[in-house]
Amino acid sequence: MAGLSGMRAEDALAAAEDWFARRGWTIFPFQRDVWQAVLAGRSGLLHATTGAGKTYAAWFAAMLRGAQQDAHRRQRRGLRVLWITPMRALAADTLRSVQAAGDDLQPAWAIAARTGDTSSAERTRQAKCLPEALVTTPESLSLMLSRPDAQEHCAQLDLVVVDEWHELVGNKRGVQVQLALARLRTWRPGLPVWGLSATLGNLERALHVLAGGAAGDAVVVEGATPKDIVVDTLVPQHPSRFPWAGHLGLSMLPRVVEEIDGHAATLVFTNTRSQAELWYQNLLLARPDWAGMLALHHGSLDKAVREWVEQGLKDGRLKAVVCTSSLDLGVDFLPVERVLQVGSAKGVARLLQRAGRSGHAPGRVSRVTLVPTHSLELLEAAAAKQAVKERRVEARMAPDKPLDVLVQHLVTIAAGGGFMPDALKTEVRGAWSYRHLQDDEWQWALDFVARGGQSLTAYPEYHRVQPDEQGVWRVRDAAIARRHRMNIGTIVADASMHVQFLRGARLGTVEEAFIARLKPGDHFLFGGRVLEFVRVHEMTAYVRRAQGAKGAVPRWQGGRMPLSSELAHAVLAQLQRAAHGVFDGPEMLAVRPLLDVQQRWSALPGPDVTVVESLRSREGHHLFLYPFAGRAVHTGLASLLAWRLAQAQPATFSISVNDYGLELLAPEAFDWPGAPLFDDGHLLEHVLASLNAAELSQRRFRDIARIAGLVFQGYPGGHKSARQLQASSSLFFDVFRKHDAGNLLLTQAQREVLEQELELGRLRATLQELQRRAIAFHAVKRATPFGFALMVERFREKLSTEKLADRVARMLRELEHAARPEQDA
């Protein structure tokens, strides 16, 4: 086939339709809608279920627009389509997906990827001439923009596609994309930009964030192709009436083995890398005959290991893969028949995303089976099924004016040809997150990149951007530009160390803090193997295979995900039905004995009632509260309530939280004043007073300092340790507080703690809900099922695993004995 170039629009469309027809495929109406919108020069957001055909909707639109533009200009080599993806693995998969159609319909186009995995030889080739279609990541795109010839390379750009937009819109990587798109629109006015997503609850807002100042003519296209999603649960035979986090856990292993055995290929999702390591090891112990057919996949494993697993799934060589969110996104694994979710997914969007990894093709059923790790997750499972049925998906909110990202972007653009301040200010305000950027904030950012603000003027390395004789702001020092390019991006994590055999392969990375606790000879579990720690040399932990069967499991940071507001409200709706004696579905029937005890000894919370319990024990005086608002909100709420109680009556509190509620424990009796505690007045002031805000802000500032370029993370192969980075950022934090109190990065650190770690907006909404709800106060004689879970959470922080097991077993015997006479009666 000669390709689409040179064809009239109707002939090009006919050729595309013929390509589908020859393969026996149907073109869906939403795909045609996208093609027509792109041909009309419009931007938009395509929202369709996983596996419905979004990739071909965007890719054929790109090829058709390329043919359309060729009819109006002389054909030249160079970049025509920019495809932005949040993951390197997804970039490789996208290339494979579009290559066949590209070879047939646009054979003159070169199609390639540019990510952190791209070889230096390929980068050199691309530096001379970019391919017609380039699949890249936000970080690699910003790196391109930092080149002096970036505008020339984008002179023929016809279309930008942002894949998995839901994964980017709510974080700083998405802000980085917004700023890059604003730059591309300046160079190419009228450039169509399209986002692809399967799980968004606020489509219009997501569209405006993507399109920025060009949103007026943008359109949302929803894929109307029916996609059956089945959500079911492996209900445990004997769910406990007194649960605690993880108490079911591996007791569900035989059921999971049975499910895997009955299907050709299964993905077993866990919420943390530590969980993935444990489940992989135990599945292999249960079925040693699966060696070679069972694999592990998470973000800390070496790239070569992850690629081997991904290819094994595609080829149908693997029976099951235990994984984390590293396989959440749209990598296409057609052989996967089943998805198991160990523990609650904590959010509807995440559950839908993971369900879509099975049946990943139009017309196929996607199925996800929930594996509860404690009894209350049966309640979450029932709520999740209902929320999925009603498609109540979480909204994603874009960050507001993160100045660290703006500072980084200013240096990037200054290195990439320079800028005039007034023109760039207008351009930046075209990005959604900076639409309300104030003149004084802009001037502060300029001053910061020019001389380091008020407190760093004496240090030349922070004079990064300076105006030249024509007034163009540029990075004049080549060394500063080189250092900046090495640290472009907004992904921040604790410093990691490579894990490598003494004489052999590299296995992956683990956080430095975990390795620092090990002594030579200690065993730990990593990559599905029990390893013996030997020594550390130059940020590499050298290991050998251990002889024993057990080892410590690395604890990576950021593992716990809070319950989303949509799922939390769905749980409260299930509890309201249970309070009226309605138990629908196997999950609610299984958890009924637990809820019956909770209702007899206290009450069940719901959308209109908040349950508060008081208990006196040998430990002291307990107050339990069950808002069902998620762990992050409860952390802030518990500190706030403890502070407010202490203002009226001096007291010292111990605090425990989970996704369902909170516990305050004091050695002396204290009064419960009720509803006035839920007042949302002076909330910011009271939250800051109730927490060690300075400590929280200083920890958050470390990440901000990295993004803003204050702290250099090191050259390739020589990254600084977490201790070095923390020391450097802490020094800046203290200097700014003492000598530059108006530094806006300090203000941003405090705001991010409140908005992201404590979810201040959601905390305020929770307080307002608590004010509206009735209070059901109960003085209980013993811990209720809900209260027991919170007490164990507190014990877990203080006791070893063995002592915790003994303490829990003793309490369980007492509580079950107390519940048994009622049951017998």
Side-chain angles (χ1 to χ4, degrees), residues 44-284:
L45 174 64
L46 170 57
H47 189 257
T49 52
T50 299
K54 294 189 295 297
T55 299
Y56 274 174
W59 178 236
F60 274 75
M63 292 190 293
L64 290 168
R65 180 165 173 82
Q68 177 195 56
Q69 295 302 303
D70 286 342
H72 301 293
R73 68 186 178 203
R74 183 171 61 85
Q75 296 182 35
R76 290 165 41 202
R77 299 304 305 272
L79 184 64
R80 309 290 295 279
V81 181
L82 190 61
W83 194 292
I84 304 169
T85 174
M87 288 181 65
R88 298 178 188 179
L90 195 52
D93 196 69
T94 300
L95 271 184
R96 286 188 288 267
S97 297
V98 304
Q99 195 74 56
D103 289 346
D104 288 344
L105 298 178
Q106 286 287 14
W109 281 14
I111 306 171
R114 174 68 179 262
T115 71
D117 294 335
T118 304
S119 68
S120 57
E122 176 64 18
R123 289 170 188 265
T124 301
R125 282 193 295 270
Q126 292 179 4
K128 297 175 183 176
C129 183
L130 286 174
E132 278 70 18
L134 183 67
V135 184
T136 191
T137 60
E139 294 73 27
S140 291
L141 173 57
S142 291
L143 192 59
M144 286 170 50
L145 297 182
S146 73
R147 292 174 40 144
D149 58 355
Q151 184 172 3
E152 180 184 343
H153 277 294
C154 296
Q156 297 187 96
L157 186 61
D158 293 327
L159 178 68
V160 178
V161 178
V162 186
D163 206 354
E164 307 287 355
W165 179 230
H166 58 271
E167 192 69 19
L168 294 169
V169 64
N171 56 43
K172 288 183 181 179
R173 291 184 83 203
V175 176
Q176 186 180 2
V177 172
Q178 290 181 48
L179 289 168
L181 292 176
R183 170 103 300 213
L184 294 176
R185 289 192 186 99
T186 297
W187 291 341
R188 299 282 292 159
L191 174 70
V193 175
W194 277 78
L196 310 182
S197 178
T199 51
L200 273 170
N202 52 339
L203 294 180
E204 289 296 332
R205 170 64 64 87
L207 173 66
H208 279 78
V209 175
L210 179 72
D217 194 41
V219 61
V220 172
V221 175
E222 292 208 59
T225 56
K227 179 71 171 178
D228 291 330
I229 296 177
V230 175
V231 181
D232 55 17
T233 307
L234 288 186
V235 177
Q237 292 181 337
H238 305 290
S240 172
R241 292 186 291 185
F242 298 95
W244 71 97
H247 76 93
L248 288 173
L250 290 170
S251 68
M252 299 294 290
L253 183 66
R255 301 282 304 280
V256 171
V257 169
E258 184 180 337
E259 289 295 320
I260 293 173
D261 206 22
H263 296 86
T266 300
L267 290 180
V268 182
F269 277 103
T270 66
N271 289 340
T272 68
R273 288 167 280 183
S274 303
Q275 268 188 314
E277 292 278 355
L278 283 171
W279 273 88
Y280 172 80
Q281 186 74 8
N282 282 276
L283 283 170
L284 203 53

Side-chain angles (χ1 to χ4, degrees), residues 493-497 510-513 539 702 706 719-723 725:
D494 284 347
S496 296
M497 304 185 76
V510 71
E511 285 178 1
E512 181 188 19
M539 294 303 290
R702 182 180 68 184
R706 290 192 217 178
H719 279 70
K720 293 182 179 180
S721 69
R723 187 175 301 172
L725 291 171

Side-chain angles (χ1 to χ4, degrees), residues 554-572:
R555 297 290 177 183
W556 286 271
Q557 294 297 317
R560 283 182 167 176
M561 298 176 289
L563 196 68
S564 75
S565 56
E566 282 72 16
L567 195 50
H569 286 112
V571 168
L572 286 172

Side-chain angles (χ1 to χ4, degrees), residues 479-558:
I480 290 177
R482 187 163 54 249
R483 277 180 35 158
H484 176 76
R485 292 187 178 103
M486 287 179 180
N487 288 270
I488 281 178
T490 61
I491 299 176
V492 290
D494 284 347
S496 296
M497 304 185 76
H498 293 294
V499 179
Q500 184 173 340
F501 283 124
L502 272 172
R503 297 179 181 85
R506 181 171 286 180
L507 301 174
T509 59
V510 71
E511 285 178 1
E512 181 188 19
F514 175 78
I515 294 295
R517 294 195 299 269
L518 298 180
K519 301 186 298 293
D522 284 353
H523 292 182
F524 68 101
L525 184 63
F526 182 76
R529 303 175 175 92
V530 180
L531 305 173
E532 179 185 332
F533 173 62
V534 179
R535 60 186 171 88
V536 169
H537 180 65
E538 295 181 349
M539 294 303 290
T540 298
Y542 287 96
V543 299
R544 60 167 66 99
R545 289 183 183 273
Q547 299 302 314
K550 291 185 178 180
V553 182
R555 297 290 177 183
W556 286 271
Q557 294 297 317

